[in-house]
Amino acid sequence: CPWLLERWGAIREKALGVEDASYAMYLSTLSGVLQSLGDIAGGREALERAAAIAHAPLPPDHPLAIVITQNLATLDARER
């Protein structure tokens, strides 16, 4: 249920703020769900927001930053 995942995200955003690394993890998960449902543009938007949030406070070698970067590269390769 993407709407349920989006609702969960709204609750997390309100509780933690949009700069929290766990919110970036949520956006990365949302991206995967949207892509699997065929919403590639929505998935890209969520993943790009996740990257912007994760790369601000986290070092480039942090596991979350690495996964998000790899997911963006995979999405780029699929769109070619």
Side-chain angles (χ1 to χ4, degrees), residues 4-70:
L4 188 58
L5 188 58
E6 289 174 356
R7 177 72 181 126
W8 176 63
I11 292 168
R12 288 182 70 93
E13 179 180 345
K14 188 172 184 175
L16 302 172
V18 295
E19 300 302 319
D20 190 83
S22 67
Y23 188 67
M25 188 177 341
Y26 153 75
L27 288 170
S28 181
T29 302
L30 177 62
S31 172
V33 170
L34 292 173
Q35 290 177 57
S36 71
L37 293 173
D39 184 0
I40 303 303
R44 172 172 286 288
E45 180 183 337
L47 199 52
E48 288 174 347
R49 285 178 57 206
I53 293 167
H55 288 98
L58 301 175
D61 61 345
H62 187 279
L64 179 58
I66 290 170
V67 166
I68 291 172
T69 300
Q70 288 174 336

